[in-house]
Amino acid sequence: KKLVLLLCITFFSVPALSQSRLYPWLDRYEQAQAIVNRIPPPSGYERVKTAAGSFEDWLKNLPLKEGRPPVYLYNGRLKANQSAHHAVLDIDVGTKNLQQCADAVIRLRAEYLYSIRDFDAIHFKFTSGHNAPFSRWIEGERPIVKGNKVRWVKSARRDPSYSSFRKYLDLLFSYAGSYSLNQELHKVSAISEMRIGDVFIQGGFPGHAVLVVDMAIHKTSDKKLFLIAQSYLPAQEIHILNNPDDGGLSPWYSLDFGETLYTPEWTFTKNDLKRF
């Protein structure tokens, strides 16, 4: 009986441990707070199917903070505009003015790759165009940036830990942004081809970027909806955006938005959609 009980405990503990590993910034992952369980699609729609272990599946299972708390800045102050968001992701923003709009997109993409241990795939470019691979950071190399020149120097011990990964991200946030991320992403040929994980982005100084974190499709008409998340200036908690054009549909957006996508704090066009 003891053996049977032990096996049962082990069996039922595996999913929880697995989910916690997928979102390693959390002490405990609560499935009930996942986007998929907190934000139902409108009547007649169902969520698009995603492959287990995919970036798409990881995004729509991101945890939200309970209720609708305010959005805080990196310094603990309240964001001035508290009407833009529907929900707040349960992920830290850091204590420096670093994790802004494109940085939040980089953060979520990198966190997913870290969670599946695909360390070699974690690499982003600085605004200067120089590549900054996490694989070099793991081996103790650190970039020395002088103007538009970057060189890597071995100055630390090998460290693939999560705390080391977070320091790497802060470095990225310091030298990358919407301009560099826009250069790395690939244009989506048609808005109808949107997938979870795609990015609406305008590279610039400043530019802006929002990430598609979930999608739904109508059961009979095949019309599609999507959810988008952002950080903004100054660095602030990542949040699910309201739809300022359709309060009845909000926070969902219709893929049939026309030529221009209006979000609470930025305007994009359908040609701004890109993909990792």
Side-chain angles (χ1 to χ4, degrees):
K1 290 182 179 179
K2 289 183 178 179
L3 178 59
V4 172
L5 179 60
L6 179 60
L7 288 173
C8 289
I9 292 173
T10 301
F11 177 78
F12 287 112
S13 295
V14 169
L17 290 172
S18 177
Q19 289 283 36
S20 294
R21 198 198 78 176
L22 288 177
Y23 305 98
W25 62 86
L26 295 173
D27 293 329
R28 180 179 178 82
Y29 176 80
E30 297 287 350
Q31 182 66 48
Q33 298 301 325
I35 291 173
V36 292
N37 294 317
R38 284 279 308 279
I39 307 179
S43 177
Y45 287 84
E46 59 185 7
R47 279 186 156 83
V48 299
K49 293 179 172 57
T50 50
S54 66
F55 185 41
E56 294 92 331
D57 198 64
W58 185 89
L59 284 173
K60 72 181 189 181
N61 281 284
L62 280 166
L64 301 172
K65 292 187 175 183
E66 292 187 14
R68 185 188 176 276
V71 173
Y72 284 92
L73 306 180
Y74 70 95
N75 56 12
R77 297 179 180 175
L78 287 172
K79 176 179 177 174
N81 181 6
Q82 291 292 330
S83 65
H85 72 284
H86 176 82
V88 179
L89 265 62
D90 193 1
I91 185 170
D92 66 280
V93 66
T95 58
K96 299 178 181 178
N97 189 14
L98 293 175
Q99 190 174 290
Q100 300 172 359
C101 56
D103 308 302
V105 175
I106 292 172
R107 170 82 187 270
L108 293 177
R109 177 63 177 175
E111 287 278 5
Y112 164 71
L113 294 171
Y114 186 90
S115 75
I116 62 172
R117 303 300 190 263
D118 192 356
F119 296 157
D120 288 341
I122 304 174
H123 53 81
F124 298 89
K125 290 184 178 180
F126 294 156
T127 299
S128 64
H130 294 88
N131 195 29
F134 182 51
S135 57
R136 297 189 74 166
W137 182 276
I138 285 178
E139 297 303 324
E141 294 185 57
R142 298 293 182 265
I144 297 177
V145 180
K146 290 187 177 180
N148 287 326
K149 295 183 178 180
V150 178
R151 63 187 180 93
W152 289 77
V153 176
K154 171 77 172 178
S155 59
R157 63 179 178 82
R158 187 179 190 279
D159 186 1
S161 69
Y162 184 75
S163 60
S164 174
F165 169 69
R166 282 294 286 115
K167 292 175 183 177
Y168 162 80
L169 287 179
D170 280 349
L171 172 87
L172 280 178
F173 302 160
S174 298
Y175 294 108
S178 62
Y179 177 83
S180 57
L181 183 61
N182 188 45
Q183 305 302 312
E184 291 193 67
L185 298 177
H186 306 284
K187 185 175 176 57
V188 177
S189 58
I191 196 70
S192 60
E193 301 299 316
M194 178 191 283
R195 297 202 304 242
I196 299 171
D198 287 349
V199 183
F200 283 100
I201 184 167
Q202 292 177 359
F205 306 96
H208 193 44
V210 299
L211 180 67
V212 178
V213 294
D214 203 355
M215 294 185 68
I217 186 168
H218 197 273
K219 297 175 184 177
T220 57
S221 70
D222 288 339
K223 288 187 176 182
K224 294 179 180 179
L225 307 176
F226 60 96
L227 294 176
I228 47 179
Q230 73 162 23
S231 177
Y232 202 55
L233 294 167
Q236 56 198 249
E237 294 178 298
I238 305 173
H239 46 279
I240 305 293
L241 286 171
N242 281 322
N243 181 345
D245 265 7
D246 192 337
L249 190 63
S250 185
W252 295 91
Y253 287 73
S254 172
L255 198 61
D256 300 324
F257 59 79
E259 295 294 323
T260 305
L261 175 67
Y262 297 97
T263 75
E265 296 175 307
W266 202 269
T267 300
F268 298 94
T269 76
K270 66 178 184 180
N271 296 318
D272 292 327
L273 187 66
K274 292 195 170 185
R275 180 172 296 159
F276 282 101

